[in-house]
Amino acid sequence: MRVSGKSIIVTGAGSGIGRGIAERLAEEGASLIVNDIDAQLGEQVAAAIRAAGGQAAFVAADVTQGAQMQALIAATLQLNSKLDAMINNAGWTHRNRPMLEVSEADFDKVYAVNMKSIYWSAIHAVPAMKKTGGGSFINIASTAGVRPRPGLTWYNGSKAAVIVTSKSMAAELGPDNIRVNCINPVFNPNTGLSAEFAGGPLDEARRGKFLSTIPLGRFSTALDVANAALYLASDEAAFISGVCIEVDGARCV
Ligand SMILES: NC(=O)c1ccc[n+]([C@@H]2O[C@H](COP(=O)([O-])OP(=O)(O)OC[C@H]3O[C@@H](n4cnc5c(N)ncnc54)[C@H](O)[C@@H]3O)[C@@H](O)[C@H]2O)c1
C-alpha cells in the first residue's frame, strides 16, 4: 500500500480523471475525501470506493468559493484529523472556438474553476498542513499549458498559470515541508470535458486529429494520470517538488 493512512482530497472527483485518481489512491490505502460540485456524482464515487473495500467520504463544495473550500478542509480535518495531500483536479473549459468568440462569463468561469480554486486551496489547506508538519499539493494542469493549440486560448492560458503558480508555491512552501507538483495530461476522450476540448462530438475526424500528435499512439486514460498522482502523493516522491509530470505519450505538437 503506497499511500496507506494518508488523508487525501480530490476535487472534481465525481467523474473523469478525478474519479480515476480517487479510486486508485483508495486502492493503495488512502482515506479519500471525494469532492465535487455535483453531489449525486460525488456520492456515487465515494460509495463505489467503499463497496470496493476502500475508505471514502463525499464532501460537496464549489471550489471557486472560499467559504466552501474552507468548509471542505474543515470537514476533512474532522473526519481524518489531518490533510496529507490536496489534489486540485476540478476543471472547466470554454468550448473549442475562436478566442474572440469566448464570452466574458466563460472566461471568468475558466479562471475561477481552474485557477482561483488553487488560490483558495492554498489559503485554507496550507495552515492545516503546517500544523501537522507538511503535506503536498498536486495540481492537474494540462499539455494545453505548455503546447497550446488554437481554439482553447483562454483555457490554455489558465493551465499555464496553474503550472507556474505550482512551481512558485513549491519554492515558497518548501521550508514548511509542503511539496507542490503538477500533472499535464494529454487528451482523454472519455471525460465530461472531452467534447468541449474537441469542439463537438468526438467523431473519427476529431479523434484522428488529436491522436496523430501522440507518438505512443493512444489517448491518455484516467488511470495513467492516477498512477502519476499516486507517485506524487506517496513518500516515494518525498524530494520531488516544483515539477510537472507530463502524462502525454510524448505529445510533440
Ligand atoms: N479530459 C482531458 O482531455 C484533459 C486533458 C488535460 C487536462 N484535463 C484536466 O483534468 C481535470 C479533470 O477534467 P476531466 O477531463 O476529468 O473532466 P470532467 O468534466 O469529467 O471532470 C471535472 C469534474 O469537476 C467537477 N467540477 C466542475 N466545477 C467544479 C467546481 N466549481 N467545484 C467542484 N467541482 C467542480 C465536475 O462536476 C466534474 O465532475 C481538469 O482540470 C481538466 O482541465 C483534462
Side-chain angles (χ1 to χ4, degrees):
M1 293 276 194
R2 294 166 65 191
V3 285
S4 189
K6 290 195 187 290
S7 168
I8 301 180
I9 297 174
V10 183
T11 70
S15 69
I17 293 171
R19 177 177 186 148
I21 295 171
E23 290 179 339
R24 182 76 187 98
L25 292 169
E27 276 174 10
E28 291 289 340
S31 177
L32 257 297
I33 302 298
V34 173
N35 157 263
D36 208 282
I37 197 170
D38 184 321
Q40 204 181 350
L41 288 177
E43 292 282 15
Q44 277 172 13
V45 172
I49 289 173
R50 290 191 298 268
Q55 292 178 63
F58 170 69
V59 179
D62 175 346
V63 295
T64 70
Q65 302 299 311
Q68 293 189 40
M69 182 66 83
Q70 186 173 23
L72 171 62
I73 306 297
T76 303
L77 297 179
Q78 194 157 24
L79 285 162
N80 290 345
S81 310
K82 61 174 183 165
L83 173 59
D84 294 300
M86 176 82 208
I87 304 188
N88 287 306
N89 163 80
W92 196 77
T93 186
H94 55 86
R95 174 158 283 221
N96 190 314
R97 56 164 55 102
M99 57 182 276
L100 302 186
E101 293 174 16
V102 175
S103 69
E104 181 184 3
D106 280 352
F107 175 91
D108 286 346
K109 185 169 175 182
V110 165
Y111 270 79
V113 180
N114 296 356
M115 201 38 232
K116 197 170 188 186
S117 57
I118 293 178
Y119 167 77
W120 286 129
S121 77
I123 296 289
H124 296 294
V126 167
M129 290 176 180
K130 279 185 181 178
K131 275 190 193 147
T132 52
S136 107
F137 287 80
I138 300 168
N139 298 325
I140 307 303
S142 173
T143 52
V146 286
R147 284 188 292 284
R149 304 185 219 246
L152 289 170
T153 288
W154 309 115
Y155 172 82
N156 296 340
S158 75
K159 290 299 187 178
V162 170
I163 292 165
V164 174
T165 302
S166 301
K167 289 175 187 282
S168 190
M169 285 171 68
E172 194 162 333
L173 298 173
D176 296 307
N177 195 33
I178 296 173
R179 299 182 295 112
V180 186
N181 294 295
C182 271
I183 299 174
N184 284 353
V186 76
F187 186 62
N188 173 335
N190 300 313
T191 81
L193 293 177
S194 311
E196 300 303 305
F197 291 135
L202 281 164
D203 54 24
E204 279 312 305
R206 287 197 174 100
R207 291 174 75 92
K209 203 172 124 197
F210 278 110
L211 202 52
S212 66
T213 64
I214 307 174
L216 280 179
R218 67 168 176 83
F219 297 113
S220 76
T221 65
L223 183 59
D224 291 323
V225 180
N227 282 330
L230 172 61
Y231 167 65
L232 290 173
S234 77
D235 293 340
E236 296 158 31
F239 202 55
I240 306 295
S241 191
V243 310
C244 211
I245 297 186
E246 301 197 12
V247 180
D248 68 356
R251 189 188 131 189
C252 41
V253 284

